[in-house]
Amino acid sequence: MKYHPAVGGMIIYLIAIITVSLVNGAENPRIIIIGAGAAGIATASRLYQRGLKNITILEASHRIGGRVASTPFAGGVVELGAQWCHGEENNVVYELASVFPDMLERSIVSDGEALVRSNGVRIDDNVTMKFVALADEILTSSERENYTGSLGDFFTTMYWEQLRSDSNYSDINRELAEQFVVFFHNYYRGYSAYDSWFEVAANENDTYEESKGNSTISWNSTKGFSIILDIVSGNYPGTMNTTLTPVPLSQLVTYDKFVSNIHWDGTSNQQVRVTTDDGSQYEADHVIITVPLGVLKENHHTMFTPALPTVHQQAIGGIYFGTVNKIYLLFDKPIPEELPNTVSLLWFESDLEPLRRTKHAWTEAVSTLFRVDHQPNVLAAWLNGVEGRQAELLTDDDVREGMLHLLSIFVGNLNFGKLEDVLRSKWSSNRLFRGSYSSRSITTERLGTGAKYLATPLTDAANKPVVMFAGEATSHKRYSTVHGAIESGFREADRLLSLYQ
């Protein structure tokens, strides 16, 4: 039996009426949500649309979105943070956005990948496919589940064993194989936001769950990824859940409020008291914290009164939180047609060593150059690791000069024209983030911790949740993603809805 949209709309309408009636017949608890990123907006939207409307969102910056940072550039939009919708199955972002015609599309980076060496020579596409297939085979192999060491040790061991034992790789010489494994480490530490895969456990307790389908789905929208915030909150024109009241975010969000303390137990009136660094104070029955893990790592010792339980402190300390940055380059003419959609950089040691002795040494952090959807004059670079963080401290002029130097090494035969503008992210040096997204490290495994411990609510004497945690780092299976963040917001909203319904 096929599902009919009209029937679905009536069901949603009836559920909304019943839910609002139940909540209106109960208490009207005061709820503070800390952070207006994807998790915070999802939490507030689920609560508001189902009847719990006494909500205050405290946002430390001047905008909503957090690490969803769609930014005007070159007459369009680029993504300084989250960029693609990663997968189609079990992905709430895809489920919410795909109902709108032409909202999502296949990104140009899905095709046209090339490996290019620092002498400007492109590797044969058949060899590139062999490398990519081998890397994927190692990362998804069953042997990884039982390996007790680091991911770096596991990958390199399996990699060299396969190259030695499999005749399919007999046409790959040692130098090229070494160049690829160095590149892939640089690329993969950006993919998972860590400095080194030797810091990451091969066998993770919190096993990341890939959403099946295209992993690089782009946004065909003038607002970019940030459109998902409008869809979640019911403020996008034509949203299917029209029976649910659009969430008046402008009335709920208070900006420039960096939370310095949360007094969650032992207050005179048994309420949670939230203090911001400008001295403002707020009282609530429940507080939901959705700030990035990097903020908790830096501030949790002074942020909570009393101190957080050990289980939370271990989770905050043990879960890894790394940095991935981007640089967007705007030229005065379209990017040369000869440039592949994605260029992966393979260094000769004879080129890399001299680079490390110059002021452009930070460009070693760039693993990949890629074209940008709907931006024909823009080229982007992906920076990883400690060198990528160091680049945040450079001036724009230093970055411009360094990127032009890097292009001269790898694609110097192409004419890009004049570099007109540069836009870049600085996630690590920003006190409101202190990084990009979470992953699971050897420390995470050694402490026996993970997302489910960070997501454990703080309760009062009656075991009622008073402080809760949401955000991608609290997602057991989909950490590091926007869909994981949104799911976590829905999870905590549902926790309160079940309490008051």
Side-chain angles (χ1 to χ4, degrees), residues 118 186 189 327 329 345-347 351-352 354-369 381-392 394 397-410:
S118 55
N186 193 14
R189 65 179 183 161
I327 298 175
L329 307 174
L345 309 184
L346 275 62
W347 285 95
D351 293 323
L352 190 55
L355 178 79
R356 289 171 175 165
R357 295 192 293 271
T358 72
K359 63 180 180 180
H360 305 312
W362 63 271
T363 59
E364 184 181 353
V366 178
S367 66
T368 308
L369 305 170
W382 202 285
L383 290 81
N384 311 313
V386 62
E387 301 92 348
R389 292 197 300 276
Q390 291 171 347
E392 296 183 23
L394 299 174
D397 286 341
D398 289 336
V399 171
R400 293 164 72 106
E401 186 179 339
M403 288 305 302
L404 289 175
H405 180 72
L406 189 69
L407 290 177
S408 72
I409 293 174
F410 283 90

Side-chain angles (χ1 to χ4, degrees), residues 49-224:
Q49 291 165 344
R50 299 192 179 181
L52 293 181
K53 298 185 176 183
N54 193 356
I55 298 169
T56 299
I57 305 174
L58 300 179
E59 167 55 41
S61 75
H62 59 278
R63 65 173 182 87
I64 68 170
R67 286 166 282 171
V68 177
S70 305
T71 306
F73 186 66
V77 170
V78 295
E79 308 290 357
L80 286 177
Q83 182 150 357
W84 296 291
C85 175
H86 292 289
E88 300 163 55
E89 295 184 20
N90 299 318
N91 183 333
V92 67
V93 171
Y94 183 83
E95 292 165 3
L96 289 167
S98 61
V99 298
F100 300 103
D102 302 321
M103 177 69 73
L104 300 172
E105 64 183 8
R106 182 181 179 88
S107 174
I108 59 175
V109 303
S110 299
D111 303 301
E113 178 182 4
L115 297 175
V116 178
R117 302 171 99 172
S118 55
N119 60 359
V121 174
R122 175 174 176 171
I123 302 302
D124 181 88
D125 287 349
N126 291 325
V127 176
T128 296
M129 291 175 63
K130 286 183 181 182
F131 275 126
V132 173
L134 175 58
D136 183 65
E137 178 185 341
I138 294 172
L139 291 174
T140 59
S141 65
S142 58
E143 291 95 331
R144 181 178 174 181
E145 298 176 7
N146 301 313
Y147 193 84
T148 57
S150 71
L151 176 59
D153 288 325
F154 174 76
F155 187 95
T156 53
T157 299
M158 294 287 291
Y159 177 78
W160 291 114
E161 284 182 0
Q162 281 288 91
L163 289 179
R164 281 193 299 267
S165 62
D166 193 333
S167 60
N168 185 49
Y169 304 111
S170 59
D171 59 335
I172 297 175
N173 63 49
R174 178 79 185 193
E175 184 177 45
L176 179 57
E178 289 177 344
Q179 288 175 347
F180 178 80
V181 76
V182 170
F183 151 73
F184 193 74
H185 177 212
N186 193 14
Y187 161 79
Y188 204 73
R189 65 179 183 161
Y191 181 81
S192 297
Y194 46 69
D195 285 357
S196 168
W197 57 10
F198 295 104
E199 300 173 331
V200 181
N203 178 18
E204 302 167 306
N205 287 333
D206 275 352
T207 303
Y208 181 79
E209 185 177 276
E210 293 275 2
S211 295
K212 294 180 180 179
N214 188 355
S215 62
T216 51
I217 301 174
S218 185
W219 297 85
N220 187 15
S221 164
T222 57
K223 293 192 68 174

Side-chain angles (χ1 to χ4, degrees), residues 209-269:
E209 185 177 276
E210 293 275 2
S211 295
K212 294 180 180 179
N214 188 355
S215 62
T216 51
I217 301 174
S218 185
W219 297 85
N220 187 15
S221 164
T222 57
K223 293 192 68 174
F225 208 140
S226 66
I227 197 72
I228 195 64
L229 305 174
D230 294 335
I231 296 174
V232 168
S233 61
N235 289 301
Y236 182 71
T239 300
M240 287 188 69
N241 296 346
T242 52
T243 55
L244 297 178
T245 305
V247 181
L249 294 177
S250 61
Q251 299 174 26
L252 303 183
V253 181
T254 302
Y255 295 100
D256 299 315
K257 295 293 183 180
F258 187 92
V259 172
S260 56
N261 186 259
I262 302 165
H263 197 151
W264 62 276
D265 190 25
T267 58
S268 58
N269 57 4

Side-chain angles (χ1 to χ4, degrees), residues 69-74 77-80 326-330 378-381 396 399-400 419 421-425:
S70 305
T71 306
F73 186 66
V77 170
V78 295
E79 308 290 357
L80 286 177
K326 298 175 192 173
I327 298 175
Y328 289 96
L329 307 174
L330 171 64
V378 176
L379 184 68
D396 283 351
V399 171
R400 293 164 72 106
L419 179 57
D421 200 3
V422 171
L423 180 69
R424 56 194 175 117
S425 62

